[in-house]
Amino acid sequence: MASNSPSLSDSHGLTPQKWVPDTASDVCLLCEAAFTVTRRRHHCRACGKLFCAQCSINRVKLPPEFGYGDSIERVCFECFSKLSVITDEETKQSEHLIVGESIADYLYRGLVVLYDDQKRLEPILIIAKYRIFFFKRPPPGAKKIRLESIRNIHLYNILSLSHVENSPKRLEIAFVEAKREKHIIIASSEIPNIVLNIRKAYRAIMPKGIPDDREVINIDLPNAMLLPVPPLDVGLAGGFTDTYKAQCNYLGVEVSPEVLLYIEDVTIRENSFDFVMNDIPGVEGKNKLFWDMLPVTTALFQNNFFKSVSIDAVDRKDAPEMISGIMTFNKTITRLSITNMQSGTAGLDDLGLALKKNTDNALQVLDLSGCRLTGICVENLAIAIASFKHGLTALYLANCRLREKQSVFLLKQGLLKNLGCTSCIEELDLSYNRLDAEGSQALNQWFTDMGPSSHLRKLLLSGTQMVAGPVLRSVSKLPVLHTLILSHNKFDPLSCQCVCSALSAPPTVSIITTVSLSNCNFAPEVFVALASSLLDSKARVEDSATNLCVRLNFSSNNLDDSAIVPFSEFLNKTPTCNFELDLSGNCFTDRGLVQFFTALKTNSKVTSLILNNMNFRVTQANGERQVVTALQDLADNTPSLSCLSLSSGWSGPFMAMFLESMANNTILKELEISNNVLGELGGRALGHFLRWNKSLVMLTADNVQLSPSAWHSVSCDIQSNTTIQWFPFAWKEYDQSVNSCIPLFLERLRSNFIQIQDVCVKNRDAAKAAGLPIWNPKAHDSNVKIPTPINPAVVVPEETTTKPVDLRASLWPAARATGDSTTPAETSSCTTTTASTSPPLAPTPPPPDEEPSRSPPTQTSSSPVVEPSSFTTTATTSTTTSCAPPPPPPPPPRIPPRNVPVQTTANIFDEIRQFSLDSLHKNDEAPDDDAPLPPKRPTTSSSSCNNMGSMLLNAVSKRREFLEEEEAPTMSDS
């Protein structure tokens, strides 16, 4: 039978002491209870001090130097804890009771007196990595040693550490349990050591963005009880790994090995600051590698290592909301990318509130492309941008399905209200959102107000159905704009004239070098005018610009020989700068192509030529042969031509002749021939081309309909090539062969593809060893990099600052129905109106992969929206007899400024704790954009749930309301 009598410690540090007199103290020296007739004094046989019976109930066999022999003597609890040790059997018992930790990881272990719910206990205290454990020992004489867990407290739940009535031997711990604040008192002579180990354990799992544990835990102890905390080594990724494990322990979820391996790879091997969730296996949540996103996002709350967080096209409803919650507290992330999310996009409604609340955020690049944004999200985002104290570098909102009113609100209440911030924007993408007339006016106003202060370099407005006239007039005044993407828009003659004016602006204003006007259905003469004005104007400033190259995209405009012939004549006569040209998806004949290739050779300035999906018509005998000859002559005699793309639309015999003719080419560096049916002849020509060509660096040939035998021939011929560095794996070709080839042939095909990749790797290594440049297939990617320092806001002159505009009446239809907010146009009396009417613009069809957006509800108004005469080419004037002009609208009511305290780490965590109970649940389904916002439910404040752990969980999974918005106008005022 096992014994549970306490074992003696050889290193107790006790020496025999004389008994103090009975009159030395009127209270117990441990529990400080007053001695009375019924509460008698007792002397500890080890230290000789006075204690009550409860504090000296333990009995132990003292060492021989105390002179008590083998008798069991009364000792106080402090001496008992020093004399007794925890047995090996008790250690094994506690190993099974500790949750998610190992007993070998503990920082402190000892006996204490615990006062819990008016009960006095004498448990074993273990301070582990993430929790504090209390284990109850079995009573004397028990047959089995079986520890009982009394309580375990996660370090994140601790609220405060304080002393009790100036007693150095007592420690009060306030913590949260089941959303209620509770208190326990620990009595021990080692209180300073216990406090030290609690702080050490907390600092090890504390986010490294918080400078001190006292910023989170309220420590109310005298300096004598605070021992110095030694500095700790910061773990991987600024302590992210330690914080992530602690969050998993707190939430009761398993630690994902995939997350830990990713952190190790990204910090040690790649030395990157970009947290890409798509690179972690199991992010989709539909496999056995699934990992919980909540501990990952909470670990990023105060992490100061990562500068960027991104996720793309992941089917998880909780992802948008959780990632948005990161910005509530993080002050180091400069780029946030949540793109192409098909579910859970309603969780983005709180992103703007998070940025607004976190006044010290460092966000400079925001990418929400491909996510459907609700009206609430746009409203919150606009208010957040208006409150930024630093500059915004890039804003990507492509294909967010914004209607005209939402776009107007974003522009007027966000970009226009904070010109110091938005003048720093270098890239703006509003493609495939509705601008229409009012949005075009707002965008024009923003361009005008920024003026010379603008940093805008890249503007993408594809498929916005904008009124191009006023926008393009102001675009020409932006000083550093070089990329203009206007595809999938319709242009009237005046708009085309404005495009020409913008492209031919003098170099002192701007030098636009990249223009995309695909799917605009230009007339042939308009195409010639646009291309000529751009190339000719840039030729005049070529001497002042180093390596100037203009990129033109006129694909899918239904151009024919009537457009290509005059353009060829222009190229023959006029010197131009270097340019890249994309004429894919147009309808040319063999005669037109021959003349065009000849003009390009004469001009000798083209650097990249893209002719995908051509399907040109043959109108004469040997027409294909003549086109091949002209194209070969162009490629062999134009030193500037390095890239050529002939993907889709070219016949197999044409491609076979072209590849055979290019075997001895020494100029071309990159060739694209995917999606063409090469056949056996084409496969043999491709192998011959790769064997003898000595200049090509990158070749893309996927879905070319080659047989396994043809691919085997290609893999053999490429072994003699010493220059090819990139040949992307033909995945489409391989997938088609999976269902059509027998397993033996499929394995041979895979082996051939691998041999091709091995040759590319060998050539890259050889080029690197010889000191030659390595071809970068992503060289044309010009997206903004992760900003490291915070971009300061631009100082904008006050005279260019736009006054706030009241948009409450125009954003929510219910406002007009209820009459809560009216516009001057609705309240004005009869006036003399000069209306300028213009022919309606043709609707722009959405891109193939985009659903047609819902048209906004028709607003009933007493006066229609009138376009200025500058918007149209022809105008008709109509005059209406009226009374006196309407009085000016009254000024908006002044809102008193709010007293915002200085945001410190302690203040932020106090607010986080307050939010943990004030948060509300939200429905899974996104609300209708056209419906007015429901009234906000009242919140209840409570200080009982202000621990770090609960606030981290509730602030992400349940938070619905961060603050009561008091600013006007908003989209939800109706």
Side-chain angles (χ1 to χ4, degrees):
M1 181 179 66
S3 173
N4 67 337
S5 58
S7 301
L8 293 181
S9 173
D10 295 333
S11 57
H12 47 76
L14 295 177
T15 57
Q17 301 290 335
K18 293 183 179 180
W19 287 15
V20 299
D22 291 348
T23 59
S25 177
D26 294 333
V27 297
C28 174
L29 297 181
L30 183 59
C31 68
E32 299 183 354
F35 295 128
T36 61
V37 177
T38 57
R39 186 182 291 113
R40 299 178 54 192
R41 294 176 173 84
H42 296 276
H43 283 87
C44 172
R45 272 46 171 182
C47 64
K49 298 178 181 179
L50 295 174
F51 300 91
C52 65
Q54 191 68 26
C55 294
S56 59
I57 194 174
N58 298 287
R59 285 171 170 77
V60 70
K61 180 181 177 181
L62 294 172
E65 60 266 23
F66 284 84
Y68 290 98
D70 295 335
S71 61
I72 306 298
E73 299 295 333
R74 177 192 294 269
V75 292
C76 67
F77 181 77
E78 291 184 358
C79 296
F80 176 76
S81 61
K82 294 178 181 179
L83 291 169
S84 60
V85 295
I86 300 175
T87 63
D88 295 338
E89 185 66 24
E90 291 174 335
T91 300
K92 294 179 181 179
Q93 288 284 337
S94 59
E95 176 75 28
H96 296 292
L97 293 175
I98 289 183
V99 180
E101 300 189 51
S102 173
I103 191 65
D105 297 332
Y106 73 89
L107 281 76
Y108 176 85
R109 183 175 62 179
L111 297 174
V112 296
V113 176
L114 175 65
Y115 297 92
D116 187 2
D117 292 336
Q118 299 181 353
K119 295 180 182 179
R120 185 184 186 278
L121 305 172
E122 297 179 0
I124 301 173
L125 168 64
I126 295 181
I127 302 176
K129 290 178 63 176
Y130 311 128
R131 297 175 183 265
I132 300 175
F133 297 92
F134 295 93
F135 298 118
K136 181 180 179 181
R137 278 180 150 181
K143 295 182 180 180
K144 294 183 179 181
I145 300 177
R146 187 170 184 177
L147 297 181
E148 177 185 354
S149 178
I150 301 176
R151 182 182 296 282
N152 74 81
I153 305 172
H154 199 283
L155 296 175
Y156 284 158
N157 283 338
I158 297 178
L159 302 176
S160 64
L161 303 175
S162 57
H163 62 284
V164 180
E165 298 177 359
N166 297 324
S167 175
K169 297 181 180 180
R170 284 185 154 195
L171 174 67
E172 181 179 359
I173 301 179
F175 62 97
V176 170
E177 184 178 78
K179 294 187 177 181
R180 294 185 179 181
E181 183 175 342
K182 292 190 176 183
H183 298 262
I184 60 173
I185 296 176
I186 298 176
S188 174
S189 60
E190 297 187 359
I191 292 298
N193 193 24
I194 292 174
V195 173
L196 172 63
N197 284 280
I198 291 177
R199 296 182 64 190
K200 287 171 59 179
Y202 196 92
R203 285 195 178 187
I205 64 174
M206 183 178 63
K208 299 307 179 286
I210 306 175
D212 193 355
D213 58 304
R214 284 176 290 187
E215 297 283 351
V216 182
I217 299 179
N218 182 20
I219 300 179
D220 185 16
L221 296 172
N223 294 331
M225 298 177 65
L226 293 176
L227 300 178
V229 181
L232 298 176
D233 295 333
V234 179
L236 291 177
F240 175 87
T241 301
D242 298 329
T243 307
Y244 169 69
K245 292 179 179 179
Q247 290 293 340
C248 290
N249 182 274
Y250 176 78
L251 299 172
V253 300
E254 295 183 2
V255 176
S256 172
E258 285 72 25
V259 175
L260 299 180
L261 290 175
Y262 171 76
I263 297 299
E264 181 180 351
D265 291 341
V266 77
T267 55
I268 298 179
R269 300 178 185 176
E270 302 177 10
N271 193 24
S272 173
F273 301 96
D274 192 359
F275 194 97
V276 183
M277 294 193 177
N278 293 77
D279 292 346
I280 308 177
V283 68
E284 287 291 346
K286 297 180 180 179
N287 49 62
K288 295 183 179 180
L289 299 180
F290 168 76
W291 46 272
D292 198 312
M293 190 171 290
L294 183 57
V296 173
T297 54
T298 50
L300 289 170
F301 274 7
Q302 287 287 345
N303 183 271
N304 60 359
F305 178 84
F306 290 106
K307 306 297 182 184
S308 171
V309 176
S310 60
I311 188 171
D312 177 66
V314 173
D315 188 15
R316 292 184 63 163
K317 293 184 178 180
D318 58 343
E321 181 179 7
M322 291 186 181
I323 298 176
S324 300
I326 297 173
M327 299 310 303
T328 311
F329 316 109
N330 193 285
K331 295 178 176 58
T332 58
I333 291 178
T334 57
R335 184 175 70 178
L336 181 66
S337 177
I338 308 174
T339 56
N340 301 314
M341 304 294 289
Q342 301 301 321
S343 60
T345 54
L348 294 174
D349 291 353
D350 290 338
L351 176 60
L353 291 178
L355 295 171
K356 176 67 167 59
K357 188 63 181 178
N358 185 8
T359 57
D360 295 328
N361 74 83
L363 187 66
Q364 299 176 58
V365 178
L366 178 61
D367 189 356
L368 301 178
S369 301
C371 298
R372 181 174 182 177
L373 304 184
T374 64
I376 302 174
C377 178
V378 175
E379 172 191 347
N380 296 336
L381 188 61
I383 295 174
I385 293 176
S387 65
F388 273 20
K389 300 178 181 178
H390 58 275
L392 192 63
T393 305
L395 181 61
Y396 305 101
L397 298 177
N399 198 19
C400 291
R401 304 182 187 179
L402 301 184
R403 293 177 288 110
E404 180 186 12
K405 297 174 185 179
Q406 297 171 343
S407 301
V408 170
F409 190 92
L410 177 66
L411 291 169
K412 290 189 176 181
Q413 298 301 318
L415 304 187
L416 274 167
K417 266 197 171 183
N418 193 353
L419 289 177
C421 165
T422 58
S423 294
C424 297
I425 294 180
E426 298 179 6
E427 296 189 8
L428 176 64
D429 189 357
L430 297 177
S431 301
Y432 305 110
N433 299 299
R434 295 286 297 271
L435 287 179
D436 296 331
E438 192 174 357
S440 301
Q441 293 181 28
L443 192 62
N444 173 44
Q445 185 65 46
W446 181 53
F447 292 156
T448 304
D449 287 359
M450 287 192 300
S453 303
S454 171
H455 288 63
L456 191 62
R457 300 176 180 272
K458 190 174 182 180
L459 179 62
L460 298 91
L461 298 174
S462 299
T464 55
Q465 301 186 24
M466 64 176 181
V467 180
V471 174
L472 294 176
R473 283 197 186 95
S474 56
V475 158
S476 61
K477 301 178 182 178
L478 301 179
V480 294
L481 184 68
H482 61 70
T483 300
L484 186 61
I485 311 297
L486 303 176
S487 303
H488 292 274
N489 286 299
K490 304 304 177 184
F491 296 92
D492 56 13
L494 178 60
S495 299
C496 296
Q497 199 173 24
C498 293
V499 173
C500 293
S501 301
L503 300 183
S504 59
T508 56
V509 179
S510 63
I511 304 178
I512 299 178
T513 58
T514 302
V515 177
S516 177
L517 295 169
S518 64
N519 279 281
C520 294
N521 293 326
F522 284 119
E525 60 274 12
V526 174
F527 158 72
V528 176
L530 290 174
S532 303
S533 62
L534 182 64
L535 295 177
D536 191 21
S537 64
K538 298 307 175 292
R540 292 197 298 267
V541 299
E542 186 176 7
D543 295 336
S544 62
T546 305
N547 296 326
L548 181 64
C549 182
V550 178
R551 299 177 179 89
L552 300 178
N553 182 2
F554 288 96
S555 60
S556 302
N557 275 293
N558 295 323
L559 302 177
D560 52 16
D561 287 0
S562 61
I564 202 67
V565 170
F567 182 60
S568 301
E569 295 175 355
F570 165 78
L571 294 176
N572 281 323
K573 298 177 181 178
T574 308
T576 65
C577 62
N578 294 332
F579 63 95
E580 300 177 5
L581 186 59
D582 186 354
L583 293 177
S584 302
N586 292 298
C587 305
F588 303 130
T589 65
D590 50 354
R591 295 178 185 271
L593 285 177
V594 170
Q595 185 174 354
F596 176 57
F597 293 153
T598 304
L600 288 177
K601 185 190 72 170
T602 304
N603 182 270
S604 69
K605 291 292 186 177
V606 62
T607 61
S608 176
L609 183 60
I610 302 176
L611 299 173
N612 301 331
N613 193 23
M614 290 300 294
N615 290 317
F616 68 94
R617 292 183 295 111
V618 179
T619 61
Q620 56 185 344
N622 297 326
E624 287 190 344
R625 170 65 67 181
Q626 295 182 22
V627 174
V628 169
T629 303
L631 185 57
Q632 177 194 0
D633 195 18
L634 170 66
D636 291 341
N637 297 282
T638 308
S640 61
L641 182 60
S642 60
C643 300
L644 178 62
S645 179
L646 302 176
S647 175
S648 181
W650 301 88
S651 65
F654 175 90
M655 294 304 302
M657 289 187 292
F658 171 73
L659 292 173
E660 288 284 353
S661 64
M662 295 297 293
N664 297 323
N665 182 273
T666 58
I667 296 177
L668 207 60
K669 300 296 183 183
E670 185 174 347
L671 179 62
E672 164 83 32
I673 58 172
S674 299
N675 304 313
N676 292 301
V677 182
L678 296 186
E680 295 297 331
L681 293 178
R684 185 175 61 183
L686 178 61
H688 178 76
F689 167 70
L690 290 173
R691 175 181 289 272
W692 298 108
N693 186 277
K694 303 301 180 184
S695 65
L696 196 70
V697 180
M698 181 174 180
L699 174 65
T700 305
D702 195 2
N703 193 24
V704 291
Q705 307 296 323
L706 293 184
S707 64
S709 299
W711 278 113
H712 177 68
S713 175
V714 170
S715 66
C716 293
D717 289 331
I718 201 175
Q719 302 296 326
S720 303
N721 191 294
T722 58
T723 60
I724 190 75
Q725 297 181 9
W726 299 98
F727 195 132
F729 195 93
W731 284 109
K732 293 181 180 179
E733 195 84 8
Y734 184 77
D735 292 341
Q736 293 173 3
S737 301
V738 169
N739 298 325
S740 60
C741 293
I742 62 176
L744 179 59
F745 288 168
L746 185 63
E747 180 62 27
R748 291 177 181 175
L749 179 62
R750 188 183 68 86
S751 177
N752 294 331
F753 286 160
I754 293 177
Q755 291 176 12
I756 294 174
Q757 299 302 314
D758 291 341
V759 171
C760 294
V761 173
K762 182 185 67 175
N763 291 342
R764 288 199 299 269
D765 294 341
K768 185 177 181 181
L772 299 177
I774 304 299
W775 187 263
N776 184 9
K778 298 182 179 180
H780 300 295
D781 186 8
S782 60
N783 288 337
V784 176
K785 297 180 180 180
I786 302 176
T788 302
I790 295 181
N791 192 13
V794 174
V795 178
V796 181
E798 294 183 359
E799 58 270 12
T800 63
T801 304
T802 303
K803 297 180 180 180
V805 181
D806 191 353
L807 299 179
R808 287 178 290 183
S810 62
L811 289 171
W812 291 102
R816 293 180 180 270
T818 57
D820 293 339
S821 58
T822 56
T823 61
E826 292 173 332
T827 57
S828 64
S829 58
C830 52
T831 59
T832 301
T833 306
T834 302
S836 178
T837 61
S838 63
L841 299 177
T844 301
D849 56 346
E850 180 185 0
E851 298 179 0
S853 58
R854 296 180 302 170
S855 59
T858 304
Q859 296 186 9
T860 59
S861 176
S862 59
S863 60
V865 177
V866 178
E867 298 183 2
S869 58
S870 59
F871 281 26
T872 61
T873 55
T874 60
T876 60
T877 306
S878 61
T879 306
T880 305
T881 305
S882 64
C883 306
R894 181 178 179 274
I895 301 176
R898 299 167 57 186
N899 296 325
V900 181
V902 178
Q903 290 290 340
T904 64
T905 309
N907 293 340
I908 290 178
F909 270 92
D910 290 341
E911 294 172 356
I912 297 172
R913 293 164 177 164
Q914 183 65 34
F915 300 149
S916 58
L917 279 185
D918 294 346
S919 59
L920 301 175
H921 293 281
K922 181 171 67 173
N923 297 330
D924 293 336
E925 298 181 359
D928 186 6
D929 293 344
D930 298 332
L933 294 180
K936 298 180 179 180
R937 286 180 281 180
T939 59
T940 57
S941 61
S942 173
S943 61
S944 62
C945 183
N946 56 348
N947 65 300
M948 179 179 178
S950 295
M951 69 84 185
L952 290 177
L953 176 61
N954 293 326
V956 176
S957 62
K958 298 181 180 180
R959 80 185 188 296
R960 290 291 82 213
E961 231 174 316
F962 293 93
L963 74 163
E964 293 292 337
E965 290 295 329
E966 298 178 5
E967 299 185 1
T970 65
M971 296 178 66
S972 57
D973 284 342
S974 60

